[in-house]
Amino acid sequence: MLEGIQIHDFDWKYTYVNNAYLKYRSYSREELMGRTLFEQYSGIETTKLFSILDRCMKERVSEHLETEFMFPNGKMAWFELSIQPVPEGVFILTLDITQRKKAEEKTSKANRLYA
């Protein structure tokens, strides 16, 4: 499976992550389980991404988006997220689309150059 899966409870604690999700992160499963999103990503609660996640959690609505994300080590990556409310909290399906975004940017630059 290429897609990362994470499930958070209503307190934003990780309750499940799959192996594909762990490949995106520099944490082990043991380092994530039972910890909150806030503990892993300091300041995330002030981001536009978190406002979308929080709305999905509170209003029990689904969302699909592409977002750029900066990891604590400063690495930037693009992800396609599908967020779904589940009885436990919220389910997030994550796909790394960084290479696609880089290719789109190269094509866009080339098109501007030749226009």
Side-chain angles (χ1 to χ4, degrees):
M1 176 176 252
L2 296 175
E3 296 88 356
I5 295 173
Q6 55 185 304
I7 298 176
H8 297 271
D9 69 12
F10 288 95
D11 294 321
W12 292 104
K13 289 181 184 172
Y14 286 88
T15 60
Y16 176 80
V17 294
N18 71 348
N19 289 335
Y21 179 79
L22 293 173
K23 289 180 184 177
Y24 299 147
R25 307 297 186 255
S26 58
Y27 301 110
S28 69
R29 182 173 278 109
E30 293 74 26
E31 290 173 306
L32 291 174
M33 302 299 4
R35 295 198 178 196
T36 68
L37 192 61
F38 313 115
E39 291 172 305
Q40 297 303 314
Y41 301 107
S42 178
I44 195 167
E45 65 276 5
T46 64
T47 67
K48 181 180 176 183
L49 172 59
F50 183 75
S51 68
I52 294 168
L53 293 170
D54 197 46
R55 185 175 70 80
C56 292
M57 179 78 85
K58 289 177 179 171
E59 297 177 18
R60 312 307 291 156
V61 295
S62 300
E63 185 76 47
H64 188 90
L65 65 123
E66 292 181 357
T67 187
E68 191 172 28
F69 187 80
M70 182 187 302
F71 291 97
N73 65 4
K75 178 184 170 193
M76 298 292 290
W78 277 92
F79 293 97
E80 181 177 342
L81 302 178
S82 179
I83 308 158
Q84 304 287 325
V86 293
E88 299 87 350
V90 71
F91 169 94
I92 306 169
L93 186 69
T94 307
L95 182 63
D96 187 339
I97 58 169
T98 304
Q99 295 304 318
R100 187 189 88 202
K101 289 300 230 179
K102 287 179 180 179
E104 288 173 358
E105 181 60 28
K106 283 183 182 180
T107 301
S108 178
K109 283 181 182 179
N111 287 340
R112 286 193 305 271
L113 179 65
Y114 292 116

